[in-house]
Amino acid sequence: MAHHHECECCSHEHHHEHHHEHHHEEESPKQKLLLIAVTVVLLLAAVFVEHHFNLSTWQLLLVYLVPYLVIGHDTLKEAVEGVAHGDAFNEHFLMSIATIGALCIGFLPGAETEFPEAVFVMLFFQVGELFEGYAEGKSRDSIAHLMDIRPDVAHQEIRNEKGEKRNEDVSPETVSVGSMIIVRPGEKVPLDGVVIEGMSALNTVALTGESLPREITVDDEVISGCVNLSGVIKMRTTKSFGESTVSKIINLVENASEHKSQSEAFITKFARIYTPIVVFAAIALAVVPTLFDGHFPTWLYRALMFLVVSCPCALVISVPLTFFGGIGGASRKGILVKGANYLDVLAKVNTIVFDKTGTLTHGQFAVTAIHPDTFDEHHLLHLAAHVEHFSTHPIGAALRDAFPDEATDGCKISDVEEISGHGIRAKVEDHIVCVGNSKMMDAVGAQWHDCSHVGTIIHVAIDGVYAGHIVINDRIKEDSAAAIARLKALGVTKTVMLTGDRKEVADDVAKQLQLSEYHAELLPADKVAKVEQLMKADSGIVAFVGDGINDAPVLARADIGIAMGGLGSDAAIEAADVVLMDDQPSKIALAIRIARRTLSIAKQNVWFAIGVKIAVLILALFGLATMWMAVFADVGVTVLAVLNAMRALHVESR
């Protein structure tokens, strides 16, 4: 992205950036302010001398050259270096020619001297650059929070030859996978890893935008970039620094500038064609009318104004800065956009296709209902959890999670037998308990009955007598319904769900969330086909939202892929164009709002800059504009456009 002040109307962008950095190393804002103050004093002194002493034109020029060179030496130097590198069409060159021309006009027959105006133009140009630099600096500072997640040091645990442990502060880049590191309270987690000792709370706001701390303990995964809030933790690293979440996020944001938006690409091409045309038009304006009326000084003055107005800096600085701000603002809310071009697409999305498991639902089985026939709910769940104690099946895990006391209540379990396709039978104390499907109930002669709830029905029989059933299902995420409602409010016309799950489960989720349509019992390849159908069926821009692990082909195929990053899923970060770092579907609506607002600000800047420039160029043509107006049309408009671009950084959550 172009954040240097000079225009991209040149082919030596890198050269420009280098010069601009050099320029700012020499002159800090304080130095520039001092130069401006000194110039104002010298200019007032020059005006006093002009009015109280009868000096020749040459003598007056020497008097005014002092303030002119004090304030303009840097601009003149940049202009000469630009020409030396074959890049004449930049801001400094145009401003230099215009002011030198104004200084020379006084020597033409019948022309008035324009010395004070030449100095004023250069002075105002420097004041404008001061404001513009300040605005860009503020914009950069606002994005700098992303760089704050970059860890500076890792406390690596190292053993010496005697086996004694000691901690050594090293750069995170040098820590290898499997190393032990210590993270103290208040420090950033330097690498991804697993907690070996200790417990704490993590602040994940820099990664997810969420302010609620995340509790961690032994065996929990921790990702880099979080801030450790309370306890000391010891962790084993699972990734090198280059592969860690924090590195990937920083690279994504830093490289987002490589993917230019349509607006940016257009502005860059426009600037390269537009500026030379206006320069040659200015030459024609000075020469052609003079052939008819002979008033060369008048037409030269108008041509010089044409030159000042012609520089398209307001566009080539503010438009990329707007997109940079939009991407930065989104990242603060835990939304990573991989490039400005994706903001373009996101703003126009009108069909959103969702994967179900892990996207709209949690992707984990949980007990959603308990219907006992003979016992109370607690006792029924207690028996089922005991029988499933050794099961590795997700259903067994869901039952154990629902009754966490089963491992410590002292009940004796024996004769555990898993019956393929039916369920599990075990002896709990003195009772034979069967937990499984309807086939198992039929096998033991228990009179089971069905359930109206959607999900997997787990029947329980005790000593051959039916005791009731437990409903297990994937829970819908808390903000999924709000997410769909917000998307519809934004004008998204179609919300579609694709799932490999059973039809009745998909139907239940679709009804609860009020989706436009759903397709169930699909294989990954079927999902790609369905998205292609929607793209062909005049559904406009199609976005696909998935959890990024098994959805990579569809994420890549859709017009724009949005992945649930789940605090740093590698597959999600690689495959998608947009990554939601905290798995909240409601962030999709926020991402669309940010994209639309960013595009709106960029358009405002384009129309405002072009409108003012055209107006002043027309006025200059008819002799109604002054050099002051011309400088405002260039520097003033640029400052206003940059200040407007900074609004893209500030995002309201709702």
Side-chain angles (χ1 to χ4, degrees), residues 502-556:
R502 301 195 317 278
K503 188 175 183 298
E504 56 268 28
V505 174
D507 186 64
D508 181 58
V509 173
K511 279 179 182 163
Q512 284 188 58
L513 299 180
Q514 297 186 319
L515 298 167
S516 313
E517 60 182 82
Y518 70 89
H519 302 277
E521 299 175 18
L522 303 174
L523 297 170
D526 301 332
K527 290 183 183 179
V528 176
K530 285 287 177 194
V531 166
E532 285 176 343
Q533 273 176 27
L534 284 165
M535 288 165 78
K536 286 175 190 165
D538 201 24
S539 298
I541 300 287
V542 177
F544 180 81
V545 188
D547 57 18
I549 294 159
N550 55 356
D551 295 319
V554 212
L555 284 166

Side-chain angles (χ1 to χ4, degrees), residues 91 148 182 199 255 286 410 423 476 487 534 546 559 572 602 617-618 622:
E91 186 166 36
D148 289 345
I182 308 291
M199 55 198 299
N255 296 331
I476 292 174
L487 289 170
L534 284 165
D559 291 318
L617 285 173
I618 291 168
F622 294 105

Side-chain angles (χ1 to χ4, degrees), residues 36 93 135 152 186 379 417 578:
I36 289 166
F93 176 77
D152 310 313
H379 193 57
E417 184 188 354
V578 178

Side-chain angles (χ1 to χ4, degrees), residues 33-48:
L33 267 175
L34 183 65
L35 276 180
I36 289 166
V38 170
T39 305
V40 170
V41 173
L42 290 171
L43 184 57
L44 290 171
V47 172
F48 177 83

